[in-house]
Amino acid sequence: TRRSSDLEPPFYELCVAVKKKLHVFAFVGSGGSTYFLRKDLVVPDSVSSLAYSGGKVYAGYKREYTIMDESSGQVTELFSIEGKLQSTSIAVVGQDEVVLAGEDVGVALDSSGLPTRGGINWKLPPVNLACCSGSFLLAQTSKGVDVFTLFDQKNVQAIQLPNGTCIASNDERIVAASKDRLLLLQPVAIHEQSSEMIRRGMVEDGLELFEQCMDRSEEDFETIECSIRQQAGLEFFRTLQFQAAVRQWKSGKTPPLEVMSMFPTCHVRGVDPSKEDVNSIVARAVKEEV
């Protein structure tokens, strides 16, 4: 399905594959709340997977993926696979971008068939794909759901759900189903996951997750990083890992006054906390106290 602006809102379009034909329906909410058939499209073979976005129809077959222009009906091959695919799957990840599942790797392409990012290496061949929040790609396999970050194509989470049957997204939540279970998944930002891990005492793991998975191109990355490192420094301090704490405070640009407040019995004469770095203030305070 896709939202469309060709008719009076609110309405959606639905593309259905039946053997070697595609039927495009429009659902008009203000005109009787009903579907009506807009057009039929002929495809070269029986479709095993389908995605509909921006006037383009992406289709997976036994040995290839194609893209069709809805208005002209022109079909263009995106890429072919040697041998028979066990399962084809397509996920729309942007207005002009999809991920197509191969046996060992996922390929991200634009509507011209050009790669848009690096390949996504599967642990197991996916049977279904879904995208959430424009940041995460979820691959449903025979054992569960593998979560990948789109900006660096890393596998950041594995969710157990054997015998999965389907997965769907509304861009804010994911519903994954198996023969006997139904899961509702909601994405949590990487920095929020890191912060929670640090709060629970898994400081090294939280920092590693942040450093490996956080998108450094985000507009507020520096502010978020400072907050995470200041939090990590405090947790290290509480467990008496002072050198590690100081390193995180320094990386997180922690205000010296905050550090000095942890040493209430220390008073450093002739020091302007707003001008000296964390290392020198703490070192001098400890030396004078001793």
Side-chain angles (χ1 to χ4, degrees), residues 84-158:
K84 182 179 178 181
L85 285 173
Q86 294 296 320
S87 178
T88 63
S89 188
I90 308 169
V92 177
V93 300
Q95 186 174 1
D96 189 39
E97 184 181 18
V98 294
V99 172
L100 310 178
E103 288 293 328
D104 302 313
V105 66
V107 181
L109 304 173
D110 62 17
S111 59
S112 300
L114 299 176
T116 55
R117 59 185 82 220
I120 302 170
N121 295 309
W122 313 126
K123 289 185 175 181
L124 292 171
V127 294
N128 291 299
L129 294 177
C131 178
C132 193
S133 300
S135 301
F136 299 99
L137 180 73
L138 290 88
Q140 187 174 39
T141 71
S142 59
K143 293 185 176 181
V145 179
D146 291 328
V147 183
F148 297 83
T149 51
L150 283 171
F151 79 93
D152 62 1
Q153 300 85 53
K154 290 183 178 179
N155 185 195
V156 294
Q157 189 175 2

